[in-house]
Amino acid sequence: MRILIAEDEPISRRSLERQLGRLGHDVIAASDGTKAWQAFQTGNFDIVVSDWDMPGVTGVELIRRIRAAQDQPFVYIIMLTSRTQTEDLVKGIAAGADDFLTKPFEKAELEVRLLAGQRLVRLERDLTQRSEELQAAQTDLRALADKLSKYLSPVIYRSIFEGKQDARIATQRKKLTVFFSDIVDFTATSESLDPEDLASLLNEYLLAMTEIVIEHGGTLDKYIGDAILVFFGDPETLGEEQDAYRCVAMAMAMQQRMRVLRQRWEAAGRRRPFHVRMGITSGYCNVGNFGSDVQMSYTIIGRQVNLASRLETESPPDEILISNSTWALVQSQVRCARRDPVVVKGFAEAIEAYQVLGMIEEQSGGALVEFSSPALSLRLDTTNLQGQERETVVRELQQALSRLAPSN
C-alpha cells in the first residue's frame, strides 16, 4: 500500500515512517498539511494518516480537500488526535475521516486499523475497476447496501428506509438515557496480544455487546476504539422511564454475557480477559444528523454524553454506575446501592451516583438484605448462604454490632 503521512512533529513523523516502512508499505512523509496536500496531488495514495493540529492546512482541511478531489480513487483516512470530545469526533467524521487513533497510541492498534483500511481500499478499487459491469450488477449493489447498513445502528437504518428519517442536517433536543462502556486496562491487554489475536478478541466482544444492544432496542451511536456509546429514547421511545429501564437491563445483560465470554476465553488460555466498566445517565441531549451534505453522522452531543463517560471511569470493574437522574426513573424496578458522590472533570458539583445490584423482581422471598448510608453499605444475599460461610457471616455481623454497643 502507498501511504501518505501528514505530521508536523518530527519524532512522531519519523516513528510512523519507520513503523509503516517495516510493514512493507511505500511511505511518503510530509511535515505539514500544505506539503501533504501537494504530495497527494502528485501521487496515488491508498491510505492517508494525518495529524489533526498542524500549522497552515490542518488535518481537517486536508481531509476535506482529499474528499473533494472527485478524480481520485478511494482513499482510507486515519486521523491522529489527542481530542476525545464527541463534538471533535463528529467534526472529523463530517470532514471525511474513516477512523480515529487517539494519541498516544500503541503500534499494534495502528497496525490493526491499517489492516481494516487495506481491506476497504481493496474493496473500493475492485468496485471501481468493474464499473462497466454496474448496470448488470444491481443485485450485488443491493447486497453492498446491506453491508453498509452495518455501519448504522439498526433502528436508524430502519427509520431511514421506512421514510421516518431524512438524510439531511437536522437535530432536536430530547431527553435520552445514555450508556457508555469501556474495557479496563485495554492498552495493557493489547500489548500482550498479537494484532490479529487482538482484532479477533475485540471483534468477538463488540459483536456480543452489539447483539445485546439490538435485543434491547438501543441506538448504537458508535464504537470509539474499545468503548461503546449507546442511547435510548430516539428515534424510537417507550417513554422516559421505560427507556431508562431498557438501558439498565441492557447493561446487566452485557455483564452476564461478559461472564460467559471470560469463562470461554480463560478456558481457551487467553490471558487478561476483558473486564468492562459501565456508566449510565439520563437527561437532555441534542440528537440528529451532524456533519455536512457530503457526509453526516447520526449521533448525540451534550453534557450527558460526557457524564456517562465520567461515570464509566469512576465505576469499579464489571459494575454499572448510574446517575441520580437515571436512578429516579428506575428505582421501582432496579435495586441499587448509593455511592459516595462522585467528583468528575467538567462538572462543578459532585454527582450523586448509584451502583446497580439487580432487578427487584429477581430477588424475592426476603433473600436480599440491603442498606446504604454515608456510614454503612450493606448487601447480604442469603439465597445460598449455608455451612461454614454462614457461620463466618454471622460472626462478622456480631463483631460489627458489638462495636456499636453504647459504652457505659
Side-chain angles (χ1 to χ4, degrees), residues 107-109 111-112 186-202 269-274:
K107 293 181 179 180
E109 187 179 1
E111 293 175 11
V112 168
F186 179 73
T187 299
T189 302
S190 64
E191 288 177 346
S192 66
L193 297 171
D194 293 330
E196 293 79 6
D197 289 338
L198 175 62
S200 175
L201 198 63
L202 183 58
R270 297 279 191 182
R271 294 182 298 167
R272 303 176 67 93
F274 294 158

Side-chain angles (χ1 to χ4, degrees), residues 107-125:
K107 293 181 179 180
E109 187 179 1
L110 174 60
E111 293 175 11
V112 168
R113 294 174 188 267
L114 284 172
L115 287 173
Q118 290 176 52
R119 287 195 291 267
L120 286 177
V121 167
R122 292 191 182 103
L123 173 62
E124 181 68 21
R125 301 289 169 80

Side-chain angles (χ1 to χ4, degrees), residues 20-70:
L20 299 183
R22 283 196 296 268
L23 293 173
H25 299 295
D26 181 13
V27 182
I28 299 296
S31 59
D32 57 48
T34 302
K35 293 178 181 177
W37 174 238
Q38 293 171 349
F40 182 83
Q41 291 175 296
T42 59
N44 295 317
F45 293 95
D46 305 299
I47 297 175
V48 173
V49 180
S50 175
D51 187 22
W52 183 300
D53 297 302
M54 293 184 292
V57 177
T58 66
V60 171
E61 179 59 26
L62 175 61
I63 291 175
R64 288 197 183 104
R65 293 185 183 185
I66 291 173
R67 292 304 185 211
Q70 300 295 333

Side-chain angles (χ1 to χ4, degrees), residues 312-325:
E312 173 270 312
T313 301
E314 295 294 328
S315 174
D318 302 320
E319 296 293 347
I320 307 164
L321 204 60
I322 67 175
S323 70
N324 182 69
S325 59

